[in-house]
Amino acid sequence: MSWIDFKLYLTQVTNLSQDALHIYGAVLIQLAAALLLRRSLASFLPWFVVLLLLLVNEAVDLWLPREVLGEWQVLAALQDLWNTMALPTL
C-alpha cells in the first residue's frame, strides 16, 4: 500500500476529510513529541517535529510520478501547510 493509498484509507475509515486529518494529526504529533522529548507544548521542539513531518509528507505528495507538477498541487500543499500548522502554532 502506497502512502497516498494509506491516506485515502484513513479518510474512509475515519470519515474525515484530508484537511481534518492534517489538523488532528498535527495535534497528536505535537502532543506525542512533547511527551517523548519531555518538553512543554510551549517549546519550539514539538512544533518543529510537526513541521518537519509535514514537509516530508508534502514532499512525498508532490513527488508522485506525473508528467507535470500543476499549480493546484502547489496550492494544495500550501493549504495543507496552513491547516496543519495553525493549531500547533497557537
Side-chain angles (χ1 to χ4, degrees), residues 35-50:
L35 183 66
L36 291 172
L37 299 171
R38 297 180 182 208
R39 302 286 177 137
S40 160
L41 286 176
S43 171
F44 175 74
L45 202 49
W47 180 90
F48 185 73
V49 169
V50 174

Side-chain angles (χ1 to χ4, degrees), residues 47-87:
W47 180 90
F48 185 73
V49 169
V50 174
L51 179 63
L52 181 65
L53 291 175
L54 168 65
L55 293 176
V56 168
N57 177 59
E58 293 308 315
V60 170
D61 285 352
L62 293 174
W63 190 346
L64 293 175
R66 58 173 65 97
E67 294 176 16
V68 177
L69 182 64
E71 181 181 344
W72 72 269
Q73 287 108 338
V74 175
L75 293 175
L78 291 173
Q79 180 182 354
D80 287 346
L81 177 68
W82 168 257
N83 281 337
T84 306
M85 295 309 296
L87 204 51

Side-chain angles (χ1 to χ4, degrees), residues 8-39:
L8 290 174
Y9 171 75
L10 279 179
T11 60
Q12 292 172 352
V13 170
T14 61
N15 200 27
L16 294 171
S17 70
Q18 286 194 10
D19 288 339
L21 285 175
H22 271 267
I23 295 166
Y24 289 131
V27 171
L28 290 174
I29 291 168
Q30 187 180 28
L31 290 171
L35 183 66
L36 291 172
L37 299 171
R38 297 180 182 208
R39 302 286 177 137

